[in-house]
Amino acid sequence: MLIVEFLIKRIAQGLLIVALTSLIIFTLLRVVPGDPVRLIVGGMAPDNVVEEVATKMGLRDPIIVQYGRYMMGLAKGDLGQSYIRPRSGGVAAGGQYVDPTKAEMAPVADLILERLPLTLQLAGVALVFALLISFPIGLAGGLNQHGWPNALAFGVQSLFVSIPNFWLAIVLILFLSVKLDWLPALGYKGFSYVLLPAFVLAVEISPFIIRTLTTSLGEVMQAPFIDEARVRGLSRRRIVYSHALRNASVPLVNLLGIQLSTLIGGVLVIEYIFDYPGLGNLTVVSVLGRDFPVIEGIAITTSAVFVFINILVDLVAYLIDPRVEI
């Protein structure tokens, strides 16, 4: 019953967060300088053509009217149609003008559903890489608070934090892809194209996992119940893996949820550098082309994913330790 009440409360909060996100993004896109219609019809188009297309698209209506129309469509599961992407693919602009008020423009939902799995795959692989890097280092550092493993953990996290992700991405492309030809770097034609960008993202988030695991495990190993386990004659291996890690995993699970959300919403630079066809790349192209419906759809989708991940993380933390409030 407690879990049902929790789900109802968190889903209601999530819907409110998604609605507020949509309102903020929708309003900001329409008050910032620049007219998307001018980009759609081309810079040399006469003003009367620009106004005619803008009126047909509803962009000259009051913002509250536009938002109400958008939310009515959203309630039906309709995220709208792209301004610059025809169903046939590619991007229409300027001399390749395609009327965005007609049915041949690509539905935003289709564009997002096409890119979202690739971004989730990239984020998932990056998280696995980060755990493979961080877990042994953080575990050793947490179990040896005053020894060299703890100093090593501190040094690794300091090094990783100081490396800019765009610089590491460029170096890996030049060395592992261009020079050695070990891994492909640009685009996506299979799972191997995920490895380089995933490793760059893993280096970016590993310091936080190392620090959290080292700190929480070190605190747990000094807890009274660990001393009691030693007195009872339990082996160090059993103490660590059956008792210490279980209690230290709650803050780690919360951090992993935050980092996964950050990966999904923060892959813009890495996807753009690697020309990886995920949501981040689509966001950059849509912002440059002022493709309002796509930007709004991506914002709503990512906020919904954040809400889902947060709910899932809280449930997992509760299952690990029922003392956690949900």
Side-chain angles (χ1 to χ4, degrees):
M1 191 63 183
L2 176 63
I3 293 180
V4 174
E5 292 178 357
F6 163 77
L7 289 175
I8 293 175
K9 180 179 70 174
R10 292 300 298 272
I11 290 174
Q13 292 175 348
L15 291 175
L16 178 61
I17 290 173
V18 172
L20 289 175
T21 300
S22 68
L23 176 60
I24 293 171
I25 296 297
F26 192 94
T27 304
L28 287 176
L29 287 175
R30 281 154 179 79
V31 298
V32 295
D35 190 349
V37 181
R38 177 63 67 179
L39 293 176
I40 293 170
V41 301
M44 300 300 293
D47 291 340
N48 64 316
V49 173
V50 173
E51 290 302 317
E52 179 182 352
V53 174
T55 302
K56 290 174 64 178
M57 296 171 63
L59 292 176
R60 294 300 183 257
D61 296 335
I63 292 179
I64 188 65
V65 174
Q66 296 183 48
Y67 182 68
R69 187 164 55 234
Y70 181 76
M71 291 304 293
M72 289 178 61
L74 184 61
K76 301 175 184 177
D78 182 12
L79 292 173
Q81 292 179 309
S82 171
Y83 288 169
I84 62 176
R85 290 179 176 271
R87 290 179 184 269
S88 57
V91 177
Q96 298 176 327
Y97 168 63
V98 177
D99 190 345
T101 65
K102 295 186 177 179
E104 62 257 21
M105 303 310 291
V108 173
D110 291 351
L111 293 174
I112 292 176
L113 290 176
E114 178 185 352
R115 306 294 188 102
L116 181 60
L118 294 174
T119 293
L120 292 176
Q121 176 181 244
L122 176 59
V125 175
L127 197 59
V128 171
F129 281 175
L131 287 174
L132 292 175
I133 296 170
S134 306
F135 192 80
I137 298 174
L139 181 63
L143 295 177
N144 301 272
Q145 287 286 302
H146 303 291
W148 66 265
N150 185 268
L152 176 64
F154 179 78
V156 170
Q157 72 184 45
S158 299
L159 174 64
F160 283 3
V161 164
S162 64
I163 299 177
N165 59 1
F166 66 89
W167 177 85
L168 179 60
I170 295 172
V171 169
L172 290 179
I173 290 173
L174 292 176
F175 187 67
L176 295 181
S177 182
V178 176
K179 185 174 182 179
L180 299 179
D181 197 24
W182 284 358
L183 289 171
L186 302 179
Y188 181 82
K189 296 180 181 178
F191 182 75
S192 59
Y193 286 79
V194 181
L195 300 180
L196 279 183
F199 180 77
V200 173
L201 292 172
V203 170
E204 185 177 354
I205 66 175
S206 289
F208 306 102
I209 301 177
I210 293 172
R211 181 176 60 186
T212 300
L213 184 57
T214 301
T215 303
S216 59
L217 186 59
E219 292 175 353
V220 170
M221 289 301 293
Q222 297 176 9
F225 73 89
I226 297 295
D227 294 331
E228 294 174 4
R230 293 193 183 101
V231 171
R232 288 166 53 196
L234 297 181
S235 65
R236 179 176 174 83
R237 183 182 183 88
R238 185 174 178 184
I239 291 173
V240 172
Y241 289 100
S242 298
H243 299 281
L245 276 180
R246 181 183 179 90
N247 285 273
S249 61
V250 173
L252 181 61
V253 167
N254 290 327
L255 176 69
L256 291 179
I258 295 172
Q259 293 301 325
L260 183 57
S261 299
T262 302
L263 285 175
I264 295 173
V267 294
L268 300 178
V269 174
I270 298 304
E271 285 193 359
Y272 194 70
I273 290 175
F274 286 94
D275 195 26
Y276 187 83
L279 281 184
N281 201 333
L282 179 63
T283 301
V284 173
V285 175
S286 300
V287 169
L288 294 177
R290 298 189 63 81
D291 196 351
F292 288 175
V294 176
I295 299 172
E296 292 154 3
I298 292 173
I300 291 172
T301 301
T302 52
S303 63
V305 171
F306 290 171
V307 169
F308 173 77
I309 291 175
N310 287 331
I311 293 175
L312 184 62
V313 165
D314 287 344
L315 284 176
V316 171
Y318 177 74
L319 293 175
I320 294 175
D321 187 354
R323 295 172 299 176
V324 175
E325 294 185 5
I326 59 174

